[in-house]
Amino acid sequence: MITRLAGAFGGPEFRITYPNGDETAYVCVVYEAKLTDPGALRPDGVEVDRVRWFQRDELGNPEVGPFAQATFRSLGWL
C-alpha cells in the first residue's frame, strides 16, 4: 500500500548516451509504501528478471545499478 510520495529525481546522474549516440533522460519517482504481503513480491519475467532485498548498508553495492544508486543519493541514503 502506497503511503506517501518520497520524491521525484532527475538531472545529470539520470542521463545516458547509448552506443549509437541516442540520448535519454530519466525521472525517478519514489513512493514510500507498506508491504502487506512479502510473499507476493515476484519478478514478472518480462520487465523484472529478479527481486531481492538489500540492507541499507548494501545500497552502494554495484549490483544495485547506477540509476538506483543516484536515487538513493538523492534520498540521502548513500
Side-chain angles (χ1 to χ4, degrees), residues 8-78:
F9 309 102
E13 291 184 291
F14 295 89
R15 294 184 186 133
I16 189 168
T17 301
Y18 291 98
N20 68 357
D22 288 352
E23 297 179 10
T24 189
Y26 294 92
V27 174
C28 181
V29 179
V30 180
Y31 296 93
E32 184 178 287
K34 179 179 179 182
L35 189 60
T36 57
D37 182 4
L41 192 60
R42 294 190 232 312
D44 66 5
V46 178
E47 291 188 11
V48 178
D49 61 3
R50 65 187 162 145
V51 176
R52 178 178 164 211
W53 295 105
F54 291 90
Q55 296 295 323
R56 189 167 285 216
D57 64 352
E58 296 179 286
L59 296 180
N61 181 331
E63 183 180 338
V64 174
F67 290 126
Q69 288 181 3
T71 301
F72 299 147
R73 277 191 294 281
S74 296
L75 287 163
W77 295 355
L78 284 179

